[in-house]
Amino acid sequence: MRNLGVVFLLSLCAALSACSKTAEPITTSYSQAQIEEAKVIAVLSYAQWCASCKILTPKINKLRADYEAKGMVFVSLDFTDKDISAFYAEAAKDGVEAPVRNYFNGGIITGRLMLLSPEGEMLTRPVNMNHTPDEIRARFDKALAKAG
């Protein structure tokens, strides 16, 4: 019984340590032309304080290079300061404001990765921290197949 308690405490410490690290956002450096020519636009709603982001972002970053080569671009919309206008201004700059507004419907949830066509169509259900890397890969593949 004592060993089970020790294992639990060590697991808890590891989990808290992972959540206390600052999540690195998905960095974006695409031109407007690259965004418009993309097959799929992966849009992450992100915040530095978001525990879900700290779990999801590393999973996405491990797959990112493979999927950029297949025609996906990755955009991060920062909600760290909880500034809704700035969040939607970023979305507008990247040409994804309408579908992002439609998805959130007035309330922004961080730690969600939306997979959109360049026209703004949602190609699959969003990805969240609970998805495994294999499940994320399957969603990416489904979005690319649907986008053509």
Side-chain angles (χ1 to χ4, degrees):
M1 188 67 146
R2 184 169 186 248
N3 287 341
L4 184 60
V6 170
V7 169
F8 172 77
L9 287 174
L10 289 174
S11 298
L12 180 62
C13 289
L16 290 174
S17 172
C19 288
S20 67
K21 294 177 186 172
T22 300
E24 292 299 319
I26 295 174
T27 56
T28 56
S29 58
Y30 302 105
S31 68
Q32 191 60 40
Q34 287 173 302
I35 289 175
E36 290 168 3
E37 293 171 7
K39 292 180 182 176
V40 174
I41 303 168
V43 180
L44 176 67
S45 56
Y46 163 85
Q48 289 180 353
W49 44 260
C50 171
S52 296
C53 298
K54 293 172 187 175
I55 295 168
L56 178 59
T57 303
K59 294 177 188 180
I60 295 167
N61 283 333
K62 285 181 183 175
L63 300 171
R64 183 177 173 173
D66 291 342
Y67 284 90
E68 283 179 322
K70 295 177 182 182
M72 288 179 73
V73 296
F74 291 81
V75 174
S76 182
L77 303 177
D78 192 349
F79 194 59
T80 298
D81 295 332
K82 298 183 181 183
D83 184 340
I84 292 174
S85 329
F87 181 85
Y88 286 125
E90 276 187 76
K93 176 184 67 84
D94 292 324
V96 294
E97 182 180 11
V100 169
R101 277 188 187 274
N102 288 341
Y103 175 73
F104 289 122
N105 194 22
I108 296 170
I109 302 169
T110 56
R112 298 290 186 275
L113 182 76
M114 295 162 273
L115 301 170
L116 307 171
S117 71
E119 298 78 31
E121 174 191 1
M122 186 82 71
L123 298 170
T124 68
R125 290 183 34 217
V127 174
N128 63 48
M129 71 172 190
N130 296 318
H131 291 102
T132 66
D134 288 339
E135 291 169 328
I136 295 170
R137 185 182 307 278
R139 293 266 173 107
F140 286 4
D141 290 339
K142 181 178 180 179
L144 282 166
K146 191 170 180 181

